Amino acid sequence: MAHLLMVESWVGSMSRLLPRAIREGGHTFTFLTRDLHHYLRSAPEGTAHPLLGARNVITAETNDVDTLLPEAERLHAALRFDGVLTSCDYYLPAVARIADRLGLPGPGPEAVGNACRKDATRRVLAEAAVPGPRFALHEEWADLARSAREIGYPLVVKPVDLCAGMYVRRVDDGRQLADAVRAMAGFPVNARGQRRSPAVLLEELLDGPEVSVETVSHAGAVHVVGVTDKSVGGAPAFIETGHMFPADLTPADTEAAEQTALSALKALDLTDGVVAHTEIKLTSAGPRVVEVNPRPAGNRITELVRHVTGVDLAAAFVDVALGRAPDLRRTDTGVRSAAIGFLVPERAGTLEALDGSGVRDADGVLEVELAAPGRAVKAAGSNNEYLGHVMTADTRGPGARARVEELLSGLRTGLVVR
């Protein structure tokens, strides 16, 4: 039995999947957080939150790395950890520094830091000649306006240190750019109380479909688990509206996506102790890297992978955090494709009706989660405002996505927001 230190977590599915993987692996964990109530607000109704299954729940200032490192040393001396991990992007750099300080397995702090900052990722990949969009990074408006003209509209504006598509926008002219930069500046502290960088990243708008490559790295070898597709909506935002695994691609496109992701991970030195989710655009000029995330995929992609292949990426995440070879053996699950679709609100108000009774028992359905009436609804601007999701499986071929879209269409007809 191993003992892991978990420093914070996302509040969504990974806050349940990761404790489950730790428990099923025969291990325990100590949960370290600055605000336990942040998680208890999202506990499943009528049950204890899985994070409360920790051997210890300890409060510490996780946003201050200078005080967190000696605190981690003190806890390690008393409790003895075999590994340290987090599922939350905002704490991945801190976890890498803790692992380095305590001599525990994991990727280097510089590698993780570069992957978690979109501007640093762009710089490292450009230096390694890994294909990506043309880009520019500035803080001052005059510099941003000049670079926007040089790259050429339309383009994409991004914060360098936020997640879930927050404040990522397509802009078609200088006025829209100014509006996007102003909105970003009005969010100087992220949802975890960390002060943000004022830097703004401008990128060339890439054409083509977007996919993600799911990989597991151990002992210098990067193993490709598969490629997931992505549907995007909510323009001018880039909201993930659904995914299917495996992506319905030609063998050539699959190979191109995988090789581009492997090149990006090698350039960033993420070849040991990492479960990664690398986003790729399959453009008319070839594959281009969008982002490299040094943690398991969100939006329940890990569950799509498990339903099709039997590979548990949450369990692999635990294994590599302990310095152990992950179990990536595939099994014949009988499922040929699995997909998830999200119900994305288009207007603000109060949810009055959302009836999923006819969906839950429909053929091929694996999961249905829907918001309850009475919930305050915000018009979606990122991946944080979903009203629920439907997950389906197809045992014959790549039909799971079409089935999800059919079921979501029915749900939308009964959706009432006032």
Side-chain angles (χ1 to χ4, degrees):
M1 179 192 298
H3 183 198
L4 292 119
L5 174 63
M6 187 190 302
V7 181
E8 304 289 2
S9 167
W10 281 126
V11 295
S13 62
M14 196 52 68
S15 71
R16 296 159 175 75
L17 295 175
L18 196 50
R20 183 213 72 202
I22 292 171
R23 183 183 68 254
E24 291 180 355
H27 312 307
T28 62
F29 69 100
T30 287
F31 184 52
L32 192 64
T33 177
R34 67 193 299 265
D35 179 14
L36 183 59
H37 294 286
H38 182 84
Y39 303 94
L40 299 184
R41 288 194 297 268
S42 64
E45 185 176 354
T47 65
H49 199 291
L51 290 170
L52 295 181
R55 180 193 296 184
N56 310 288
V57 176
I58 299 174
T59 301
E61 183 44 79
T62 53
N63 283 352
D64 184 348
V65 178
D66 290 337
T67 62
L68 180 60
L69 290 174
E71 176 68 4
E73 284 184 313
R74 184 185 69 79
L75 292 172
H76 184 50
L79 301 174
R80 305 309 303 174
F81 302 120
D82 301 293
V84 55
L85 77 179
T86 183
S87 64
C88 181
D89 299 57
Y90 298 136
Y91 297 96
L92 289 165
V95 161
R97 289 188 61 184
I98 291 171
D100 184 63
R101 176 73 71 94
L102 302 184
L104 298 174
E110 182 179 4
V112 174
N114 285 337
C116 289
R117 283 273 305 213
K118 296 178 176 64
D119 52 332
T121 299
R122 286 277 168 256
R123 173 182 54 78
V124 172
L125 297 188
E127 290 173 353
V130 178
R134 291 177 293 143
F135 69 95
L137 179 77
H138 298 294
E139 294 185 17
E140 300 300 327
W141 169 251
D143 297 324
L144 287 166
R146 183 187 69 254
S147 288
R149 291 191 297 270
E150 292 171 353
I151 295 173
Y153 293 101
L155 51 78
V156 180
V157 58
K158 296 180 177 181
V160 299
D161 52 6
L162 287 176
C163 310
M166 293 184 67
Y167 295 96
V168 179
R169 296 292 183 270
R170 168 181 169 145
V171 295
D172 295 305
D173 53 38
R175 180 187 60 79
Q176 291 181 6
L177 175 61
D179 289 344
V181 171
R182 190 178 305 111
M184 200 181 304
F187 191 72
V189 178
N190 68 26
R192 298 306 183 97
Q194 299 168 335
R195 184 153 294 277
R196 294 189 46 252
S197 167
V200 175
L201 185 62
L202 302 180
E203 294 181 355
E204 168 191 12
L205 179 66
L206 299 172
D207 64 1
E210 186 170 331
V211 299
S212 62
V213 182
E214 322 308 335
T215 56
V216 180
S217 303
H218 174 69
V222 183
H223 305 273
V224 176
V225 177
V227 180
T228 312
D229 79 4
K230 177 188 296 187
S231 58
V232 178
F238 294 84
I239 301 171
E240 296 179 1
T241 59
H243 303 277
M244 185 172 75
F245 183 91
D248 189 14
L249 301 174
T250 65
D253 280 343
T254 298
E255 175 72 10
E258 291 176 355
Q259 291 303 315
T260 301
L262 292 173
S263 296
L265 292 166
K266 181 178 179 180
L268 287 161
D269 196 23
L270 292 172
T271 59
D272 189 20
V274 180
V275 177
H277 169 72
T278 303
E279 297 172 342
I280 307 284
K281 272 275 195 175
L282 299 174
T283 79
S284 56
R288 300 288 185 268
V289 176
V290 178
E291 289 183 8
V292 179
N293 300 283
R295 43 80 180 160
N299 270 352
R300 300 192 72 77
I301 290 173
T302 57
E303 292 301 276
L304 301 182
V305 172
R306 184 177 62 84
H307 283 300
V308 175
T309 69
V311 174
D312 188 340
L313 288 174
F317 187 35
V318 173
D319 286 334
V320 298
L322 293 169
R324 302 178 180 183
D327 183 0
L328 302 179
R329 291 172 297 176
R330 294 170 179 256
T331 58
D332 185 358
T333 64
V335 174
R336 299 294 171 258
S337 66
I340 189 168
F342 300 99
L343 199 58
V344 180
E346 298 179 355
R347 53 177 290 186
T350 300
L351 178 62
E352 290 200 358
L354 178 55
D355 182 10
S357 57
V359 173
R360 298 182 191 279
D361 298 325
D363 290 343
V365 170
L366 297 171
E367 285 184 15
V368 178
E369 289 188 10
L370 300 174
R375 170 175 161 174
V377 177
K378 178 181 177 182
S382 70
N383 301 339
N384 293 326
E385 287 86 32
Y386 300 138
L387 291 179
H389 71 257
V390 177
M391 185 186 295
T392 67
D394 183 358
T395 59
R396 296 180 297 275
R401 165 60 64 78
R403 182 61 172 144
V404 158
E405 292 300 333
E406 177 187 1
L407 294 170
L408 282 177
S409 178
L411 282 173
R412 292 187 189 104
T413 62
L415 172 64
V416 180
V417 176
R418 288 198 175 93

